[in-house]
Amino acid sequence: MADVKTFFLDGTNWRTKDDFYNAFFKAVGAPDWHGRNFNALRDSIITGQINQIEIPYTIQISGLDKMPSNVKSLVEDFCSLIKEFHAEGHAVDIVCQG
């Protein structure tokens, strides 16, 4: 089995939704043209062959309690999306915490 990478994303200073996307895209080596929506994330994470880093990996996001409500809402939805992928049997998981 492949080594599972872990990405630690500190959201303490995220103020916009783009701050989240920029941090995640940098971690996985996404191309500049990557879409900033959950359909595009499904394509790149599950279908693959888009980002430089492919699953298996685990994402750990901290700082939820420091984010503005609109960013926190997006990140919580992203956490739910990744948990859904994991439940479907894909080799990706997430931990989201304050």
Side-chain angles (χ1 to χ4, degrees):
M1 183 173 171
D3 288 337
V4 177
K5 295 170 261 338
T6 300
F7 302 114
F8 297 94
L9 304 180
D10 180 0
T12 303
N13 295 315
W14 296 348
R15 295 292 164 252
T16 67
K17 293 179 179 183
D18 280 338
D19 290 339
F20 157 73
Y21 281 113
N22 291 341
F24 178 71
F25 289 164
K26 181 179 179 184
V28 297
D32 291 341
W33 51 262
H34 196 295
R36 292 174 181 248
N37 61 67
F38 286 3
N39 286 334
L41 288 170
R42 177 178 286 277
D43 289 345
S44 70
I45 295 169
I46 302 306
T47 305
Q49 299 183 346
I50 294 175
N51 301 326
Q52 292 175 0
I53 307 295
E54 301 280 353
I55 57 175
Y57 55 73
T58 297
I59 307 154
Q60 291 193 9
I61 299 178
S62 61
L64 268 74
D65 56 349
K66 305 288 187 196
M67 298 173 190
S69 59
N70 65 322
V71 178
K72 182 178 180 179
S73 178
L74 172 71
V75 172
E76 288 173 338
D77 289 347
F78 176 74
C79 292
S80 295
L81 180 73
I82 299 301
K83 288 177 182 180
E84 180 182 310
F85 294 166
H86 183 78
E88 291 171 358
H90 300 289
V92 62
D93 205 356
I94 192 158
V95 175
C96 297
Q97 54 200 29

